[in-house]
Amino acid sequence: MKNLTLENIARVCHGVYHGEEKCLGMEIESVVTDSRKAEKGCLFVPFVGERADAHDYIGQVMQMGALASLSERELGETSFPYITVESTRKAVRDLAAFYLDQLQIPVVGITGSVGKTSTKEAVASVLKEKYRTLKTLGNFNNDLGVPLTIFRLRQEDEIAVIEMGINHFGEMKVLGSIVRPHTMVITNIGTAHLEFLGDRDGVFRAKTEVFEYLRPDGHVVLNGDDDKLARVQEVNGIIPVFFSVDPSGCPASGRIACYADEVTSLGLEGSMATLHLGEISLRVKVPLPGRHMIANALAGAAVGQIYGLSGEEIHRGIESMESLKGRLCMEKTDRFVVIDDAYNANPASMKGAVDTLKYGAGRRLAILGDMGELGREEIALHREVGRYVGESGLEAAVFVGALSRHM
């Protein structure tokens, strides 16, 4: 891993090196936080958890071939090098920021209340048509997941797409200081995590903390259909690029850089739409169902244009979009189609899932569970979703959980 020598690691993490001086110039080959996944040449980072203290496994990890370990305590006389730090979690963040800076590749950050992961997949699907692209796996989007994503990067990678998730004020500043994105995409400002962020204005403030860390020559890509994002005029002198699924009625009307029209539903097979990107118009199949997937495709197209992709490359990238487990993942049997969208939920994503189900043929059944972290309004918001389901035209619904009783 470029410039991740034990000497540099100790310096960047504000740690103290313990070991033979001849090892200081050696580079680690990977960063591992799970002792079971230790490998030759890795740096082991132990965390103290609720049930176990990974410091207890340092000796075992070194026998498995690790080069060195971080530690929050002195280990006495050892036959291997290690670095003591005040906090292994903070050390991982500092080290990830340093490593990313060594690679000097563009980073696209993705955040928002709903659709972060789907948008990340759409953006990466487009960019891979031109660049060797690394993306966040699953939902590794917090202050540990983001560094672990960065540590997967190698010198041959040409661009990174990193999802950034938060639920408290100040957390986006931590992630922003690590990633320092060249391009920042925000999908929307919804009602997720109201327990900690108060209201949508609080969500807006928390999400946009990342702007403080945007590169001076960077780009901002925003959903123009979102009333909170539409009020952003500029970010540190950077004029945002807005995308819209409905340009005629969107709050950012007049400032839309890319939009969709001539939308035709293909049911659960997705949609056909014409995407307008300045002078380029593309008739594409968005292979995943729902209006929000068209928005995700537009975000991918907007980022693709920023990084110099041709219309043909953008077209191929959108048409090769795929779903992830737990997010609009369809399983077909001889009699049924089961849509698994159960990864997480808030009112906006729940309504989006209900809308998607309406594209199905035959009898349609929604099975809905509790939505967490909604704060004081949790009962009212569950009732709101219940009203939406009741007016949706679905044939049946099942509600599971204590809060879902209010639906």
Side-chain angles (χ1 to χ4, degrees):
M1 298 178 73
K2 186 176 181 180
N3 290 338
L4 289 194
T5 62
L6 297 188
E7 182 176 18
N8 281 340
I9 291 170
R11 176 177 59 81
V12 169
C13 297
H14 308 286
V16 177
Y17 175 76
H18 305 263
E20 297 182 359
E21 188 173 341
K22 66 180 182 180
C23 296
L24 281 169
M26 300 177 69
E27 280 187 350
I28 62 170
E29 296 182 21
S30 61
V31 177
V32 173
T33 59
D34 185 337
S35 61
R36 296 166 297 183
K37 298 180 180 178
E39 57 189 7
K40 180 176 172 56
C42 74
L43 173 71
F44 179 55
V45 183
F47 296 109
V48 179
E50 294 181 5
R51 299 182 179 180
D53 182 351
H55 289 77
D56 296 339
Y57 302 104
I58 290 177
Q60 173 186 322
V61 165
M62 299 309 300
Q63 291 178 0
M64 295 169 68
L67 175 61
S69 177
L70 298 185
S71 175
E72 292 181 357
R73 60 187 70 119
E74 292 194 14
L75 304 177
E77 289 294 327
T78 65
S79 59
F80 54 82
Y82 73 97
I83 298 166
T84 52
V85 295
E86 183 176 342
S87 163
T88 52
R89 198 168 187 115
K90 184 179 185 305
V92 160
R93 300 198 300 257
D94 292 340
L95 192 58
F98 172 78
Y99 179 55
L100 188 57
D101 199 47
Q102 304 308 297
L103 296 177
Q104 293 290 299
I105 66 170
V107 179
V108 181
I110 310 284
T111 195
S113 297
V114 181
K116 291 185 295 294
T117 301
S118 299
T119 302
K120 175 257 299 181
E121 292 295 316
V123 170
S125 185
V126 170
L127 291 176
K128 70 175 173 49
E129 296 297 323
K130 185 178 178 70
Y131 302 104
R132 177 175 166 128
T133 303
L134 181 132
K135 65 182 179 181
T136 300
L137 295 179
N139 66 321
F140 274 52
N141 62 15
N142 64 5
D143 70 322
L144 177 57
V146 167
L148 292 179
T149 297
I150 290 170
F151 291 138
R152 289 175 41 235
L153 284 164
R154 293 297 180 266
Q155 287 179 257
E156 56 267 30
D157 291 315
E158 297 175 299
I159 196 165
V161 183
I162 298 181
E163 182 179 332
M164 305 163 71
I166 62 155
N167 55 21
H168 288 78
F169 289 109
E171 290 180 341
M172 190 58 82
K173 290 188 177 183
V174 173
L175 298 183
S177 67
I178 299 170
V179 175
R180 295 191 63 231
H182 298 77
T183 298
M184 195 66 216
V185 180
I186 304 183
T187 62
N188 46 56
I189 303 297
T191 51
H193 310 304
L194 296 187
E195 179 181 0
F196 311 112
L197 302 178
D199 55 21
R200 288 185 67 228
D201 287 328
V203 175
F204 175 82
R205 292 196 305 275
K207 297 289 185 184
T208 55
E209 287 175 349
V210 73
F211 289 160
E212 181 180 342
Y213 300 93
L214 190 68
R215 305 271 178 164
D217 57 347
H219 305 272
V220 177
V221 179
L222 304 177
N223 183 351
D225 295 326
D226 185 280
D227 60 322
K228 300 295 182 184
L229 294 175
R231 72 191 193 193
V232 178
Q233 299 293 324
E234 56 88 26
V235 177
N236 307 330
I238 298 167
I239 304 301
V241 172
F242 286 98
F243 61 90
S244 171
V245 180
D246 183 16
S248 63
C250 79
S253 181
R255 296 185 290 153
I256 300 300
C258 55
Y259 66 94
D261 62 11
E262 300 178 325
V263 176
T264 303
S265 172
L266 302 176
L268 295 180
E269 300 300 319
S271 305
M272 291 297 300
T274 301
L275 308 189
H276 301 274
L277 316 170
E279 298 180 356
I280 299 175
S281 293
L282 305 173
R283 186 65 179 170
V284 301
K285 177 183 178 181
V286 180
L288 299 170
R291 173 190 174 95
H292 56 295
M293 287 299 175
I294 299 174
N296 297 344
L298 284 166
V303 174
Q305 273 209 312
I306 287 170
Y307 288 98
L309 272 73
S310 67
E312 182 180 349
E313 289 168 329
I314 292 171
H315 187 281
R316 286 201 307 267
I318 289 172
E319 294 208 334
S320 62
M321 288 166 51
E322 297 179 346
S323 63
L324 291 176
K325 183 175 176 59
R327 294 173 174 86
L328 286 181
C329 187
M330 279 184 277
E331 299 287 342
K332 297 182 180 181
T333 74
D334 56 341
R335 295 182 60 199
F336 305 108
V337 177
V338 179
I339 305 174
D340 176 11
D341 196 40
Y343 169 72
N344 208 341
N346 57 54
S349 65
M350 193 79 88
K351 292 175 184 177
V354 171
D355 287 342
T356 299
L357 189 56
K358 290 192 290 186
Y359 292 118
R363 191 166 184 262
R364 299 154 303 172
L365 164 67
I367 304 175
L368 306 178
D370 290 354
M371 301 177 290
E373 297 183 1
L374 295 179
R376 298 187 305 271
E377 298 299 313
E378 64 179 8
I379 291 177
L381 290 169
H382 278 81
R383 287 176 174 162
E384 177 185 315
V385 169
R387 284 193 294 272
Y388 194 83
V389 174
E391 296 167 357
S392 67
L394 301 181
E395 283 73 22
V398 175
F399 304 99
V400 181
L403 288 172
S404 295
R405 290 177 180 272
H406 300 291
M407 290 190 196

